[in-house]
Amino acid sequence: MEEQYMSLITDYIDGNLSEERKREFDAYVEEGHIDMEEIKAIIALQGRIERTEQPIPGAAMSEAFYTMLNNVKETDSKKEVSFKLEQLWPMLFGTNMGRLAFGMVLLIVGVVVGRGVTGITYKNQLSELSTQMTDMKEMMMMSMLEEESVTQRLKGVQMSSELVSSNKEVTDAMFLTLNSDESTNVRMAALNLLAQYANDPNIREGLINSIAKQESPLMQIALAELMVELQESKSVDEFKNIIEGEYTPEEVKTTLRESIDKIM
């Protein structure tokens, strides 16, 4: 029977047809769309089902049912865990940020567990975890600075903010980025970060040496502004070399001359 007649048939069997729908039902019977023999067979089957006594499950049936149910649950649970792991694995280990986040979680768990240890042992463990976290952060930062994506390299610069000056390898990586990265935005981010530690003699010396390695007028001017702020006289000769350069734009030369005057 077609689905469009099922509502009428169901209501007929249940005795819920209104007069109007009863006429519609009879019309469909006359037109041959609804087979009364089938309807009678359904009514008869329904009557036998209603008259049949409901069996009471025995102990064996109950045990078999719950055994089957537990097996299904166990299978579904394994599938669900497997599915979640398949989704979680690329999220955790498919990206640098995912790997860092996973590592941070492990270290935090270690710290929480460590709270159960008292005295010197706990302090030693906490110090070790702190060192491991710093090492992991450094590793991830170095990795991100090598990414092709400018956005990822910028994140790498941001991530190194707390490690510059206290960590020579990170400081060297920042200067390498400042002097060599193909993106002006990334170099500018490295400059802004290193400028925060310009009171460190080694970093200040590195910033002065970086002047000669900058071909971007934007970077040259930014360094000039920093040297004016620092009143670093050692930078004057470096800027003079740029001013005397054949390919230096006139507007840049003018700005650098003004900066030199402010330093001297």
Side-chain angles (χ1 to χ4, degrees):
M1 297 180 189
E2 298 181 25
E3 292 184 5
Q4 67 187 84
Y5 308 121
M6 290 305 297
S7 175
L8 281 170
I9 294 170
T10 302
D11 286 344
Y12 175 82
I13 293 173
D14 293 338
N16 295 328
L17 282 179
S18 63
E19 288 298 325
E20 182 179 353
R21 284 173 61 79
K22 178 65 169 61
R23 289 193 293 270
E24 183 180 357
F25 177 84
D26 292 338
Y28 285 138
V29 171
E30 288 185 16
E31 294 170 2
H33 298 298
I34 296 177
D35 188 339
M36 281 303 298
E37 294 301 321
E38 289 187 20
I39 302 298
K40 291 177 182 178
I42 292 173
I43 293 173
L45 177 61
Q46 181 173 305
R48 285 198 299 271
I49 292 173
E50 291 175 351
R51 290 190 299 272
T52 301
E53 294 183 3
Q54 183 175 358
I56 300 175
M61 181 183 294
S62 178
E63 182 180 352
F65 170 77
Y66 284 110
T67 299
M68 180 183 67
L69 182 61
N70 289 331
N71 289 338
V72 171
K73 285 183 176 180
E74 183 178 350
T75 302
D76 289 345
S77 176
K78 290 180 179 179
K79 288 182 178 178
E80 183 177 357
V81 170
S82 176
F83 175 72
K84 288 182 178 179
L85 286 175
E86 289 175 0
Q87 287 185 321
L88 191 60
W89 189 265
M91 290 173 61
L92 288 178
F93 303 104
T95 65
N96 287 323
M97 292 305 295
R99 289 190 292 271
L100 177 62
F102 181 71
M104 293 295 186
V105 169
L106 289 181
L107 289 175
I108 291 171
V109 170
V111 171
V112 173
V113 173
R115 290 188 182 277
V117 184
T118 59
I120 298 175
T121 302
Y122 169 66
K123 290 182 179 180
N124 290 340
Q125 288 185 352
L126 189 62
S127 176
E128 183 179 351
L129 285 171
S130 178
T131 301
Q132 290 176 0
M133 184 175 291
T134 299
D135 292 343
M136 181 175 295
K137 190 173 183 180
E138 177 187 341
M139 178 186 67
M140 294 305 303
M141 182 274 295
M142 294 290 191
S143 177
M144 293 178 76
L145 289 176
E146 297 176 357
E147 293 281 352
E148 293 184 5
S149 167
V150 171
T151 301
Q152 290 299 312
R153 298 204 302 277
L154 283 171
K155 289 180 180 179
V157 172
Q158 295 170 358
M159 187 179 295
S160 66
S161 60
E162 299 176 0
L163 302 176
V164 171
S165 184
S166 62
N167 188 312
K168 186 178 184 303
E169 290 184 0
V170 174
T171 303
D172 291 344
M174 281 300 97
F175 274 113
L176 181 62
T177 300
L178 172 62
N179 298 328
S180 306
D181 197 279
E182 61 185 17
S183 168
T184 301
N185 290 334
V186 177
R187 293 201 304 275
M188 186 64 72
L191 174 60
N192 291 335
L193 177 57
L194 289 166
Q196 299 176 29
Y197 302 91
N199 289 331
D200 183 317
N202 293 327
I203 290 182
R204 182 177 293 216
E205 188 69 25
L207 289 169
I208 295 171
N209 294 334
S210 179
I211 295 172
K213 300 175 182 178
Q214 302 299 326
E215 297 180 357
S216 166
L218 186 64
M219 294 299 300
Q220 293 168 348
I221 292 173
L223 276 164
E225 292 175 350
L226 175 60
M227 294 302 154
V228 170
E229 182 180 343
L230 297 174
Q231 284 296 293
E232 181 52 71
S233 58
K234 292 181 181 179
S235 65
V236 172
D237 290 339
E238 301 293 341
F239 288 124
K240 284 183 177 179
N241 291 334
I242 295 176
I243 291 172
E244 295 170 0
E246 180 180 358
Y247 301 104
T248 304
E250 286 301 321
E251 58 270 23
V252 175
K253 291 181 179 181
T254 300
T255 301
L256 295 182
R257 289 191 187 100
E258 293 174 352
S259 297
I260 289 174
D261 292 339
K262 293 177 182 178
I263 294 173
M264 301 177 67

